[in-house]
Amino acid sequence: MSKPKTVSDLLREVRAEIPEISPAEVDALRTSPAPPAIVDVRDLDEWDQGHIPGSLHIARSYLEQAIESEVPDRDARIILVCSGTVRSYLAGRALRDMGYGGIAVMAGGFHGWKANGLPWNVPAVLSSPQKLRYSRHLLMPEVGSEGQARLLASRALLIGAGGLGSPSALYLAAAGVGTIGIVDFDVVDLSNLQRQILHTTDRIGEKKVESARKAIAALNPDVAVIPHEEMLVGDNVERIIAGYDVILDGTDTFETRYLLNDAAVAAGIPVVHASVFRFEGQLTSFVPYAGPCYRCLYPTPPPPELAPGCSVAGVLGVVPGIMGMLQANEALKLLLGIGTSLAGRLLLFDALETEFTELTLRRDPACPVCSDEARAARERGEAPAPSAFPADAPFVLGGAGFGGSIARDNNPEANA
């Protein structure tokens, strides 16, 4: 029977198999055109005290579970970092057993990095209640303490506190988006409560922005609510959207959508757009110049008979809830810089069949707002302000892939 190995035996073996690399070499590689994955295997409290810029935090206890999603390429170059080297070498042994080949350990660990005077980041410190409130975010490397601090410093603007804005507002607030602006000039009506879950029976007759403020404050006191109790029009749109990081469009008129689109493109602010009709919904993200804008998709509005409002056609109450939650998901991805946005993609939802359909959208090279020519003219200060929409132009759908296959008998661009 062989003698059991001690930790010293394991370290001696793995040190002979996994190379060390100096902090200076790691710093040079970190800023190279093809940087390696620098994986910090320290515990979260150590990471929170400081870490290498651009490094990926995966605590040693979660390494085997998380590494495949974070670094799926078994041939990728990985540099392991801990406070010294012991956890890095043991982590390297585990990764080697999983088939990862390009593994190295940074000599001296994070202490050696600091001792060499190299740059390091200190994430924003969350309070104890915040660490508990957002604990499920902090466990995920894609968010973590840095991402949560980013959310707390972010500003999201909701156009409308109705069927779409209600779930969006609640989930953004729950996620800790630090400032939420709400544009709405309406009051709570009994007919709203079938789908507008921000509001309650005892707040019928109250201003929607105030009702929303109360709901958000009760959910998360970290969030500051900025009410904009006014209609979004050409004279105020630039002032209202200024300073926000993302806009969630829950508007119910085409004219407002065009005005918002044009101002957001000019300001460089992404817009997460959703709309609903009866049992259907659609969703996309308009990220300036990364994909089409609203005018690329709808160069002209449809006639009223193709886009009746909810007060005429009705809507299943859960449909704006589903689409509003998806809007919040898109907004969080954009704020955190993670995942793949819906820029250039249109997501269609059919509640009766519980089916999602995705269509590809294209930028219109002749778009009066987001084309290269319009962008250059705007930068020269020469871009004309387009009208809300040409009154005499026929309704067409632009920008859709698959031969414009998004046309439907009834279009889900309706009131929520």
Side-chain angles (χ1 to χ4, degrees), residues 158-165 247-253 257 260 272-275 327 414-416:
L158 277 67
I159 312 296
L164 293 166
I247 300 169
L248 288 80
D249 175 16
T251 56
D252 56 10
T253 70
R257 291 181 183 129
L260 174 62
V272 182
H273 167 78
S275 55
Q327 276 187 289
N415 183 3

Side-chain angles (χ1 to χ4, degrees), residues 155 157 237-238 241-248 259-272 285-293 334-335 363 369-370 374-375 378-379:
R155 298 167 58 88
L157 178 65
V237 62
E238 292 182 5
I241 71 172
Y244 286 99
D245 302 305
V246 67
I247 300 169
L248 288 80
L259 291 170
L260 174 62
N261 174 78
D262 299 355
V265 170
I269 304 172
V271 175
V272 182
S285 290
F286 299 120
V287 181
Y289 313 116
C293 74
L334 290 168
L335 292 173
R363 282 180 69 188
V369 175
C370 77
R375 183 179 188 181
R378 186 180 296 109
E379 290 172 352

Side-chain angles (χ1 to χ4, degrees), residues 105-258:
V105 167
M106 189 176 80
F110 187 62
H111 292 314
W113 179 273
K114 291 194 295 182
N116 278 268
L118 297 170
W120 50 289
N121 291 341
V122 179
V125 178
L126 303 178
S127 67
S128 295
Q130 286 175 329
K131 288 180 179 179
L132 183 58
R133 178 183 289 271
Y134 308 118
S135 60
R136 301 308 189 269
H137 279 176
L138 303 184
L139 290 172
M140 297 190 297
E142 297 87 348
V143 184
S145 56
E146 274 192 53
Q148 190 59 56
R150 186 182 305 171
L151 290 179
L152 288 164
S154 295
R155 298 167 58 88
L157 178 65
L158 277 67
I159 312 296
L164 293 166
S166 288
S168 295
L170 290 173
Y171 273 97
L172 292 179
V177 173
T179 301
I180 296 177
I182 300 176
V183 180
D184 204 305
F185 60 93
D186 205 356
V187 297
V188 179
D189 183 81
L190 180 60
S191 66
N192 301 149
L193 302 185
Q194 166 250 14
R195 64 203 177 281
Q196 299 182 15
I197 59 174
L198 265 176
H199 314 299
T200 55
T201 303
D202 63 330
R203 297 205 287 269
I204 290 174
E206 193 169 314
K207 297 173 182 177
K208 283 189 178 179
V209 290
E210 177 59 18
S211 173
R213 185 198 63 78
K214 289 178 179 178
I216 291 171
L219 177 63
N220 190 349
D222 283 345
V223 179
V225 177
I226 300 178
H228 300 276
E229 192 195 346
E230 51 190 313
M231 181 184 294
L232 198 70
V233 295
D235 290 339
N236 64 16
V237 62
E238 292 182 5
R239 167 178 58 82
I240 288 176
I241 71 172
Y244 286 99
D245 302 305
V246 67
I247 300 169
L248 288 80
D249 175 16
T251 56
D252 56 10
T253 70
F254 281 92
E255 183 172 7
T256 306
R257 291 181 183 129
Y258 286 119

Side-chain angles (χ1 to χ4, degrees), residues 29 49 55 103 129 135 185 221 226 231 234 278 305 308 317 349 358:
L29 290 170
Q49 294 173 30
S55 59
I103 302 168
S135 60
F185 60 93
I226 300 178
M231 181 184 294
R278 290 171 53 82
E305 62 269 20
F349 173 62
E358 183 179 304

Side-chain angles (χ1 to χ4, degrees), residues 359 397 404-411:
L359 302 176
L397 284 171
S405 59
I406 64 174
R408 295 188 170 214
D409 291 337
N410 289 303
N411 195 284

